[in-house]
Amino acid sequence: MDATSPVVSVDGHRLTLTHLDKVLYPESNTTKADVLQYYVSVAPVLVPSIAWRPATRKRWVHGVGTESAPGPMFFHKNLESGAPEWIIRGTVRHREHANEYPLVNDLATLLWLTQLNALEIHVPQWRFGPQEMRQNPDRLVLDLDPGPGTSLVECAEVAFILRALLTGMGLDPVPVTSGSKGIHLYSALDMRSTSEQISAVAHELARAVEADHPDLVVSTMTKSARVGRVLIDWSQNSAAKTTVTPYSLRGLSHPTVAAPRTWDELAAGDLTQLDYVEVMRRMSGGSDPLGALGSIGTPHRQRTSVSLADPDPLGAYRAKRDATHTPEPVPAALDPTPSTSTGRSFVLHEHHARMSHWDLRLEHNGVLACWALPKGMPTSSAHNHLAVRTEDHPLQYREFEGTIPAGQYGAGTMRIWDAGSAEIEKWRDDEVIVTLYPDGGGGLGGPRRFALIHTAGRGRPDNNWLIHLMAPATDDSTTPVAKNAAARAGLPEGSDPPAYSPMLATTGTPADLRPASDWAVEMKWDGIRILAAVALVAPGPRVRLSTRNAINATSYYPEVVAGLVTALGGGTAVLDGEIVALDSRGRPDFSRLQTRLPSISPPRHGQLPPGPPVVYLIFDILERNGESLLGRTYDERRELLRRSVAPVAAVQIPDAFDGHVEAALHASRELGLEGVVAKRHNSTYRAAHRSHAWIKITQRRTQEVVVGGWRPGRGNRADMVGSLLLGVPHEGTLEYVGRVGTGFTDRDLVRARQLMDTITAAGCPFADLGDDEAAGVIWVRPELVGEVEFAEWTPGRRLRHPSWRGWRPDKTPLDVSRE
């Protein structure tokens, strides 16, 4: 940038740049031209991370001054008057006012703000979305602020403690030296959780680390408590809070930057804050540690303005009630911060109205989201119940019991059937997953995990949902700190070895495995995924085998249990692998495994379950003798697995092909296996995540499906199942993908008819089934999952030539997605 050329063209917009020789940082003689040049150099990495976030700015009109005589700073939320029309705006509406923010979606906007001496840019952890609404946060941030007597050295120590915890939660944090005193830790999120939920998690993490390291960490803002300790400021995850954006300059006496760093730098022991010159030098070398966060919250470039409204969520509730005639609470307005709110409560009402039913109410965003349940809460995973979404209720309804007079909306007696706290795992417009923890003495009888699934579609009302009883949630917590956090969050602790959720692979091709030397390649086994928690310690050996959806499969595989006790020898471990049944040539055969699947053939006490013997093929180790290995590399875990497990007949460690992708694929074809799974040598274990660090390459196409109906057979199969109608969940509905009528054995047909007769339904569960395809079909509730092999997907999104492979009782419909 030439200081003598004050007019520039950026992205087709002409900008007049004035006073380029003005010194903004006197101690380093840094001018406005230097600042503009810096922001030009970092724009390729700064703009993508800040786009579509409302930008708050700190302006130093006369420069930052010196340390002893700082210049005046002006704090701006609203976009300055006279701003060019081409700057994209985002409006956040509050109760008494609205703020119109600039959205820094391009270099031209960034430079226009810099021309006004806006040196610092602060943004929240969320973006504006495509429906002109605030999206869920796409990142979690923890601000490590050194108190008096501490420095970056102690902040780095706390950062490594948090890194172990966050990695154990399946997150991959990136450190950013703040440019001021401390360190920010950023972790990418999948945007399934609200700001309130993420704030609660961050708060529990901070309190947990404080409890385990009281001499090093504090989680409260009290100044006197911060002496000699590092504050973990979790509050910046609130939707109303902002954090200085990575790559922003700071308005201090020296032009330092909020600079992304590597973990090697934090471990070196000589960590310092970086200034803009050093950051520009790093950028010229192509270094961007923040790139590890990936592309989160894809911008929506087609819009030119957005607005975040603040509607009255209780308007529908008040419109149906007369406060002078009903004993129900009818507040005049929504209390944004009710003193009794925990942010995580539920209540179940038994409502004896014209049609008696139950009402489930979950605290969410300051109100109670409500569903009416005509048949109450499901008590078995085999039977879903209808849940009708009704208007939101005020939080005061959690304590309401009484009789609503005749002639009033909902007339009848209302009593609390159960109440307590709620842990929300997922909240989307079409799906909610929640675990309810009753206070005791109510109708639930203990903690229960439920999924609420929106079923609106062809011929069904928009407010119809299903409620499904799920298996208990698994707990990825492995360290004492995380366990303490769980305890403080009200989560139950058991005496069994800790439970995990498995890491999942992404579908790919050999072209994705480049360079080949980065990958180890394993066979893809045709079996059932099992995590084994083994504790060979006093008072006696304990083994628990769990499927991917947390079904306790221990009693189904006694030979594996016995084999693990022998193979491990002593101590504790959590192992990941696949249980397979072998054919006469020693190859996995999924059809042979069918008679040994959980819930298909319950074993009798003390007897080996009927069917062929099975083998547990172990390919990973997640924990050994109480130490979490999730943060170790694949190579380190494999080496420890080999040292920990001595193979026996029912427990084996299969070999891996080191960098020989084609050789592995050839061996897979020769053995008639499904394909291979390639794993990066340096990859950590991301529990409950589907990762590109593991890539599966299949040589025959299989698809998990949900059964929604069946047609009777003909001739000698007239009383049996002739074909099953199949679907795959898609955007909150069950999408029809075709019928399967081949691949069944006689035993399969008998079993299928028995299962179909227990789940008969009145209507079609598919959202897009034509009348001709629905003719003669007997509908069933979409609860059972199976697997088919097929030739290809047709242009109409149907399976071509599917053939039945077997049932998948280890999966629920929520686990199924189009491969």
Side-chain angles (χ1 to χ4, degrees), residues 486-548:
R488 272 189 291 276
L491 302 179
E493 288 193 51
S495 59
D496 286 338
Y500 294 78
S501 291
M503 180 172 171
L504 305 175
T506 301
T507 301
T509 69
D512 297 316
L513 309 183
R514 295 174 181 166
S517 58
D518 287 351
W519 300 85
V521 189
E522 304 173 2
M523 295 296 105
K524 189 176 186 300
W525 305 108
D526 206 1
I528 179 174
R529 188 80 171 270
I530 289 289
L531 295 181
V534 187
L536 306 182
V537 294
R542 286 178 292 143
V543 178
R544 181 185 178 91
L545 306 180
S546 301
T547 68
R548 177 177 154 183

Side-chain angles (χ1 to χ4, degrees), residues 411-642:
T413 301
M414 186 86 69
R415 75 174 187 88
I416 295 175
W417 192 74
D418 212 335
S421 60
E423 290 291 339
I424 295 172
E425 297 175 40
K426 179 190 298 187
W427 193 289
R428 300 191 324 201
D429 290 342
D430 60 352
E431 183 181 0
V432 175
I433 298 179
V434 61
T435 301
L436 305 181
Y437 295 97
D439 291 335
L444 278 177
R448 298 288 186 270
R449 184 169 177 241
F450 296 95
L452 287 149
I453 306 162
H454 196 196
T455 61
R458 179 177 175 269
R460 290 186 296 277
D462 287 343
N463 59 348
N464 274 9
W465 294 56
L466 289 177
I467 183 167
H468 170 74
L469 176 64
M470 302 179 68
T474 57
D475 176 15
D476 289 339
S477 306
T478 57
T479 66
V481 174
K483 289 175 180 175
N484 289 343
R488 272 189 291 276
L491 302 179
E493 288 193 51
S495 59
D496 286 338
Y500 294 78
S501 291
M503 180 172 171
L504 305 175
T506 301
T507 301
T509 69
D512 297 316
L513 309 183
R514 295 174 181 166
S517 58
D518 287 351
W519 300 85
V521 189
E522 304 173 2
M523 295 296 105
K524 189 176 186 300
W525 305 108
D526 206 1
I528 179 174
R529 188 80 171 270
I530 289 289
L531 295 181
V534 187
L536 306 182
V537 294
R542 286 178 292 143
V543 178
R544 181 185 178 91
L545 306 180
S546 301
T547 68
R548 177 177 154 183
N549 61 343
I551 294 175
N552 185 346
T554 311
S555 61
Y556 292 85
Y557 307 112
E559 68 266 56
V560 172
V561 172
L564 285 168
V565 172
T566 302
L568 192 63
T572 66
V574 178
L575 307 166
D576 188 2
E578 195 103 352
I579 281 183
V580 301
L582 304 179
D583 63 15
S584 58
R585 290 181 289 178
R587 300 181 307 180
D589 185 335
F590 189 70
S591 63
R592 286 173 60 83
L593 186 62
Q594 285 289 293
T595 58
R596 294 292 304 271
L597 292 179
S599 81
I600 292 291
S601 56
R604 293 179 179 148
H605 181 68
Q607 293 185 1
L608 190 68
V614 297
V615 178
Y616 186 37
L617 302 177
I618 306 173
F619 46 70
D620 220 318
I621 183 168
L622 283 59
E623 182 180 308
R624 182 63 167 138
N625 293 330
E627 179 189 359
S628 171
L629 306 176
L630 302 185
R632 301 278 194 97
T633 67
Y634 168 84
D635 288 345
E636 292 170 336
R637 298 195 310 276
R638 285 284 295 191
E639 179 58 31
L640 186 55
L641 175 61
R642 293 188 189 97

Side-chain angles (χ1 to χ4, degrees), residues 28-161:
S28 60
N29 201 35
T30 302
T31 65
K32 179 188 282 189
D34 295 327
V35 170
L36 285 163
Q37 184 63 58
Y38 167 73
Y39 276 122
V40 168
S41 69
V42 299
V45 292
L46 187 154
V47 171
S49 70
I50 201 176
W52 297 103
R53 302 184 197 273
T56 299
R57 291 87 61 214
K58 289 185 177 181
R59 292 177 58 199
W60 281 265
V61 177
H62 305 294
V64 300
T66 63
E67 187 172 359
S68 59
M73 183 270 289
F74 300 89
F75 188 82
H76 286 262
K77 291 185 178 181
N78 284 306
L79 182 61
E80 287 78 359
S81 61
E85 289 297 323
W86 48 261
I87 291 181
I88 300 175
R89 281 87 162 157
T91 301
V92 178
R93 301 190 184 281
H94 304 281
R95 226 170 257 290
E96 303 297 333
H97 67 283
N99 294 116
E100 186 179 62
Y101 292 82
L103 304 183
V104 187
N105 289 10
D106 48 48
L107 175 61
T109 302
L110 177 62
L111 295 186
W112 188 85
L113 294 173
T114 307
Q115 155 64 22
L116 300 181
N117 294 348
L119 301 179
E120 288 190 17
I121 301 177
H122 295 242
V123 294
Q125 314 317 319
W126 55 269
R127 301 181 194 257
F128 285 107
Q131 268 88 44
E132 299 189 349
M133 294 295 291
R134 186 184 74 204
Q135 292 181 321
N136 283 340
D138 58 4
R139 60 192 190 188
L140 176 149
V141 63
L142 296 168
D143 180 5
L144 312 185
D145 189 8
T150 59
S151 67
L152 274 179
V153 174
E154 288 77 17
C155 288
E157 183 179 351
V158 176
F160 275 100
I161 294 171

